[in-house]
Amino acid sequence: MLSLSSMTFFLLYLLSGFFLHLIWENAQAPLFAGFESFVQHFPICLKATLTGDLSMMLLLYFVLALVHRDLQFLEKKETFRHPVTWILPSFVGALFAVIIELRALLEHRWSYTDAMPILPFFPVGLTPVLQMIVIPLVLLWILRW
């Protein structure tokens, strides 16, 4: 069973992740075809954050908990000294972002404007992939304090 302290860390992880992803989603929105305005696109970004982004954050949390063999790993200082804590989220985040972007593009769920930087080896946007690398690392950096 998770302690109150563990629940606090977990909720801080999710809430901070939610807000960081929501900001990122809205900042990159003009790079997607169909963007007209912040007001028009905000509900789309909110849905993406609540579904895909938070699902990714949960996946990363449980992958790290599995690797550390501890659901309460965020509370322990030694967690943040272990290289896997920093490497694994970047790798898993980038991998899943590429897969999700490729699938969405193939299914025509969204497309990019010409302003979207594209990865050299995969025909997907750079900013969605960076989102799944940067935000988990920022969250871990924040939570290590």
Side-chain angles (χ1 to χ4, degrees):
M1 179 139 179
L2 292 178
S3 67
L4 181 60
S5 175
S6 294
M7 287 301 294
T8 302
F9 273 95
F10 182 70
L11 289 174
L12 182 60
Y13 172 82
L14 286 180
L15 287 173
S16 300
F18 169 79
F19 286 112
L20 289 174
H21 278 290
L22 186 60
I23 291 166
W24 191 294
E25 290 286 352
N26 281 285
Q28 74 179 351
L31 301 173
F32 287 83
F35 176 82
E36 295 174 19
S37 69
F38 173 76
V39 173
Q40 170 261 346
H41 216 78
F42 185 81
I44 298 166
C45 293
L46 181 60
K47 182 180 176 187
T49 301
L50 286 171
T51 57
D53 298 338
L54 283 183
S55 295
M56 179 61 72
M57 295 306 301
L58 285 170
L59 173 71
L60 291 173
Y61 181 88
F62 289 115
V63 166
L64 282 172
L66 185 64
V67 168
H68 288 292
R69 296 182 179 149
D70 187 358
L71 276 175
Q72 301 176 38
F73 69 95
L74 286 176
E75 289 184 66
K76 299 178 172 90
K77 293 288 183 188
E78 60 269 12
T79 294
F80 301 102
R81 289 190 289 270
H82 200 295
V84 76
T85 303
W86 303 98
I87 295 167
L88 194 62
S90 299
F91 177 76
V92 172
L95 178 66
F96 276 88
V98 167
I99 291 168
I100 290 165
E101 289 296 309
L102 280 173
R103 185 171 175 207
L105 292 169
L106 290 171
E107 294 174 356
H108 304 288
R109 285 190 284 148
W110 61 72
S111 60
Y112 308 131
T113 67
D114 291 337
M116 172 68 83
I118 304 296
L119 289 176
F121 301 108
F122 300 100
V124 299
L126 175 64
T127 63
V129 175
L130 282 178
Q131 176 182 0
M132 292 303 163
I133 296 170
V134 172
I135 290 177
L137 293 178
V138 167
L139 284 174
L140 288 170
W141 185 81
I142 290 168
L143 290 172
R144 77 181 183 154
W145 301 109

